[in-house]
Amino acid sequence: MKRHINLWSFIFAFVCLGLFFLAISTREIIDIMMNLLHIHPLHIVLILSLITCLLGVIGFAGITNWWTMLRSITTVVLSLGLSVVILIIVICGGIFKFT
């Protein structure tokens, strides 16, 4: 089971990366998400990225060889790095919000 968590968290790390680029690509996407869910898309990606990071840490228990270890390390580094970038964007955006 932990080996499957390792694989799925690796896949979701790249899904979160794609969602990040989709969320910051155009203003229309942000407006649509704000109208539908009343939450900023970056907050959704941040939550998904933190969950993916947590699942990646849990996936360390299922390490059987060097490939799964590399996959777990990549998952944690990618999702944690993405979370830090999103946090910086959200915090700076909140500080410099003029509307």
Side-chain angles (χ1 to χ4, degrees):
M1 180 66 183
K2 294 194 190 283
R3 192 170 72 208
H4 294 292
I5 290 175
N6 186 353
L7 176 64
W8 282 105
S9 63
F10 181 71
I11 292 168
F12 282 130
F14 287 104
V15 169
C16 287
L17 190 64
L19 287 175
F20 170 73
F21 286 120
L22 183 68
I24 64 170
S25 62
T26 62
R27 182 71 188 164
E28 289 83 22
I29 293 174
I30 294 172
D31 291 338
I32 290 170
M33 291 297 290
M34 293 290 289
N35 289 334
L36 288 176
L37 300 175
H38 303 292
I39 188 169
H40 200 281
L42 285 179
H43 292 138
I44 296 170
V45 177
L46 176 64
I47 292 168
L48 289 174
S49 180
L50 290 173
I51 291 170
T52 302
C53 184
L54 180 66
L55 291 175
V57 170
I58 292 171
F60 274 116
I63 292 176
T64 56
N65 54 18
W66 68 273
W67 179 249
T68 55
M69 181 179 64
L70 182 64
R71 192 167 53 204
S72 288
I73 291 171
T74 304
T75 300
V76 171
V77 167
L78 185 66
S79 61
L80 195 60
L82 184 61
S83 297
V84 167
V85 168
I86 294 173
L87 274 174
I88 291 170
I89 291 171
V90 168
I91 290 171
C92 289
I95 291 172
F96 298 114
K97 188 174 185 179
F98 293 112
T99 59

